[in-house]
């Protein structure tokens, strides 16, 4: 069979679309026991513990309890894979995740007044038991699960290409037994003298011997980690593997680079690889917009009296308008107008905007207070409802600062693949306020890009909750 570039692209598309779930045994229409266990273990533990706690205090499960269990399961599904992590790191991850879930439940219960319907002793005991149990479960799961789950849920795999990418893939198989993959070795046409000593023991031979090895050793999966420049060899290998039943996955070398939301799409049947894309695509975009509309409307309604008081304070503190309008870069780098309560005696929006510094003489006394408490940002909820901004996202910079730093920091403009936010991952990790050197701005941009890579509704809620803590402490705000 002739393998042209389009056929190879189709193979690439098929494999990339499943690259996160392939090793874990996730396929369309089929989920392995280990994958199902990984996805359900966190919500199942929380729900079971709630029922156990109810019974231990002499209560029976009622309709309200079933609704709570359903809500908890929805918030925690799917569970996270936590492998190759220290005990301290594991505990920190579990506590952070459970704090977000518990915080959402408390806010929901308070807003609907349903929280008074639940026994307080049950809620307190349950809130302590869940993170403690999850820690024990996740620490022991990698050792226990492979012995409990049936052997047919594991697949034996080989990696074609004993290079850096192939070695990283093999390390993942070794480090996380919950992936359900037994690593059998590498196949590479290079001799042992040209390979890293780390792969010598696992080298099984040249690529020519792979088809026979697959048949003799019942190999279930083959991961091709060769560079794209090896297309003729890959095509030849695929031709030979057609006589086997092994699943074949292509792990292209583009994934050794720092990509943003890489995924597969197609244009009228022609597969394309999205190397850099917004995380708010399709349903995710709808979820993000609903989050902004619901939370933004609620907070704006609650904050209306406070905003009126701040507006009066701004008007009385110094001459000038109450609101300060500044041009910023929004989605896709397009200019937008952002609102703030005026905190300075000047209104700079020209080609050279100087960031506020500690004891800045331009800042009024009342302005210093609202900047420290972030009350000056409240009008941006109007921007959120307008669709110009989100509650969580990379903070918008003045246009002049964008033009300055886009030339100095690699990947700076990628942060504009999403709407700017009122708060963000960078702000809750210490990059709030002045960025007086390039290194600080690099740190902020790195966290902004980290947000784009790992966005989830849970992450947004965690950032919002942590923002309250940062605002109360008043760190780096002046």
């Amino acid at each position: 069979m002739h393998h042209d570039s389009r056929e190879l692209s189709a193979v690439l598309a098929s494999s990339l679309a499943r690259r996160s779930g392939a090793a874990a045994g996730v396929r369309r229409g089929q989920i392995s026991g280990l994958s199902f266990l990984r996805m359900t273990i966190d919500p199942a533990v929380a729900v079971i513990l709630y029922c156990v706690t109810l019974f231990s205090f002499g209560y029976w499960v009622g309709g309200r309890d079933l609704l709570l269990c359903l809500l908890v399961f929805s918030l925690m599904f799917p569970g996270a894979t936590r492998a190759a992590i220290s005990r301290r790191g594991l505990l920190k991850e579990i506590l952070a995740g459970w704090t977000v879930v518990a915080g959402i439940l408390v806010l929901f219960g308070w807003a609907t007044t349903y929280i008074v319907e639940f026994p307080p002793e049950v809620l307190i005991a349950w809130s302590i038991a869940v993170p403690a149990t999850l820690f024990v479960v996740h620490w022991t799961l990698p050792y226990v699960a492979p012995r409990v789950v049936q052997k047919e849920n594991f697949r034996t795999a080989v990696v074609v290409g004993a290079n850096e990418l192939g070695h990283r893939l093999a390390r993942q198989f070794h480090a996380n037994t919950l992936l359900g993959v037994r690593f059998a070795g590498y196949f590479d046409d290079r001799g042992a003298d040209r390979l890293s000593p780390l792969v010598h023991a696992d080298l099984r031979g040249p690529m020519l011997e792979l088809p026979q090895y697959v048949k003799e050793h019942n190999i279930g999966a083959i991961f091709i980690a060769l560079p794209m420049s090896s297309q003729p060899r890959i095509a030849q290998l695929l031709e030979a593997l057609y006589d086997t039943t092994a699943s074949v996955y292509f792990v292209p070398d583009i994934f050794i680079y720092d990509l943003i939301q890489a995924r597969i799409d197609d244009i009228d049947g022609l597969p394309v690889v999205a190397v850099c894309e917004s995380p708010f695509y399709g349903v995710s975009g709808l979820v993000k917009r609903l989050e902004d509309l619901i939370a933004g409307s609620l907070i704006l309604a609650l904050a209306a009296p406070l905003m009126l008081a701040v507006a009066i304070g701004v008007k009385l503190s110094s001459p000038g308008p109450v609101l300060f309008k500044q041009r910023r870069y929004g989605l896709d780098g397009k200019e937008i107008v952002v609102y703030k309560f005026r905190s300075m005696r000047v209104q700079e929006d020209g080609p050279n905007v100087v960031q506020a510094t500690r004891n800045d003489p331009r800042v009024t006394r009342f302005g210093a207070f609202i900047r420290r408490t972030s009350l000056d940002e409240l009008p941006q909820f109007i921007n959120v409802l307008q669709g110009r901004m989100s509650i969580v996202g990379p903070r918008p910079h003045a246009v002049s600062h964008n033009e300055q730093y886009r030339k100095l920091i690699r990947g700076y403009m990628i942060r504009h693949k999403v709407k700017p936010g009122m708060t963000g991952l960078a702000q809750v990790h210490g990059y709030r306020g002045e960025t007086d050197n390039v290194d600080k701005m690099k740190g902020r941009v790195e966290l902004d890009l980290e947000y784009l890579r790992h966005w989830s509704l849970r992450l947004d809620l965690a950032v919002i909750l942590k923002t309250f803590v940062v605002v109360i402490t008043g760190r780096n705000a002046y």
Side-chain angles (χ1 to χ4, degrees), residues 1-15:
M1 180 182 293
H2 175 65
H3 291 267
D4 59 15
S5 59
R6 176 166 179 153
E7 285 185 85
L8 186 59
S9 297
V11 174
L12 168 63
S14 177
S15 61

Side-chain angles (χ1 to χ4, degrees), residues 7-48:
E7 285 185 85
L8 186 59
S9 297
V11 174
L12 168 63
S14 177
S15 61
L16 284 178
R18 297 174 293 176
R19 68 186 179 92
S20 61
V26 179
R27 308 175 189 176
R28 290 188 179 183
Q30 177 183 355
I31 301 179
S32 74
L34 284 172
S35 298
F36 181 78
L37 181 64
R38 258 190 11 260
M39 291 190 294
T40 58
I41 189 69
D42 284 12
V45 166
V47 169
I48 292 172

Side-chain angles (χ1 to χ4, degrees), residues 68 71 75 99-116 123 295 298-299 302 460-462 464-466 468:
L68 176 61
L71 180 59
L75 288 172
T99 299
V100 172
V101 173
I104 295 171
L105 294 176
V106 170
L107 288 175
F108 181 78
W110 173 77
T112 60
T113 69
Y114 276 115
I115 195 169
V116 298
L123 296 180
L298 179 61
I299 296 174
L302 294 174
D460 271 5
L461 295 172
I464 292 171
L465 290 175
K466 196 168 183 179
F468 287 112

Side-chain angles (χ1 to χ4, degrees), residues 164-367:
E164 179 186 352
L165 185 60
H167 187 49
R168 277 179 54 185
L169 193 60
R171 286 204 310 268
Q172 292 292 334
F173 295 149
H174 285 305
N176 190 358
T177 55
L178 290 180
L179 291 176
V181 176
R182 291 191 183 93
F183 176 63
Y186 301 97
F187 280 83
D188 200 298
D189 287 342
R190 293 172 295 175
D193 57 326
R194 297 176 55 195
L195 299 174
S196 168
L198 297 174
V199 304
H200 286 177
D202 293 320
L203 189 62
R204 298 292 175 259
M207 291 166 52
L208 185 64
E209 299 177 3
L210 175 59
Q212 189 61 32
Y213 185 91
V214 169
K215 296 174 184 177
E216 293 177 354
H217 294 82
N218 194 28
I219 301 299
I222 301 166
F223 293 86
I224 302 176
L226 296 175
M228 288 185 171
S229 58
S230 303
Q231 178 180 330
R233 286 196 297 162
I234 295 173
Q236 184 180 5
L237 179 62
L238 291 177
E239 182 73 42
L241 291 174
Y242 275 166
D243 193 33
T244 72
T245 58
S247 300
V248 181
Y249 303 98
F250 185 48
V251 188
D253 55 344
I254 60 171
F255 287 111
I256 67 174
Y257 299 103
D258 194 15
L259 305 183
I260 303 295
Q261 292 293 323
R263 72 163 193 273
I264 285 298
D265 211 331
D266 71 271
I267 301 176
D268 196 21
L270 181 65
V272 292
V273 182
V275 174
C276 178
E277 179 57 284
S278 168
F280 308 128
Y281 183 86
V283 176
S284 296
L286 178 61
V287 171
K288 180 69 169 176
R289 185 59 182 146
L290 287 175
E291 171 197 335
D292 288 336
L293 288 174
I294 295 172
S297 300
L298 179 61
I299 296 174
L300 193 59
L302 294 174
L306 179 59
M307 291 177 66
L308 178 61
V310 173
I312 295 173
V314 171
K315 196 65 178 176
L316 296 177
S317 64
S318 64
V322 171
L323 292 181
F324 169 51
K325 301 177 183 179
Q326 190 176 48
R327 293 176 302 116
R328 304 285 175 97
Y329 278 176
L331 180 65
D332 293 328
K334 298 177 182 177
E335 283 193 11
I336 61 172
V337 176
V338 173
Y339 306 132
K340 295 179 66 175
F341 282 124
R342 182 176 56 83
S343 59
M344 294 186 177
R345 296 179 176 86
V346 297
Q347 300 183 69
E348 297 177 340
D349 191 25
N352 296 302
V353 177
V354 180
Q355 284 188 321
T357 59
R358 190 178 297 276
N359 300 320
D360 195 316
R362 298 172 299 168
V363 179
T364 66
R365 182 176 299 179
F366 186 75

Side-chain angles (χ1 to χ4, degrees), residues 367-384:
F369 166 72
I370 62 175
R371 291 175 72 91
R372 185 174 63 253
T373 55
S374 292
L375 293 175
D376 63 324
E377 310 283 356
L378 288 177
Q380 288 173 25
F381 280 109
I382 299 174
N383 291 129
V384 171

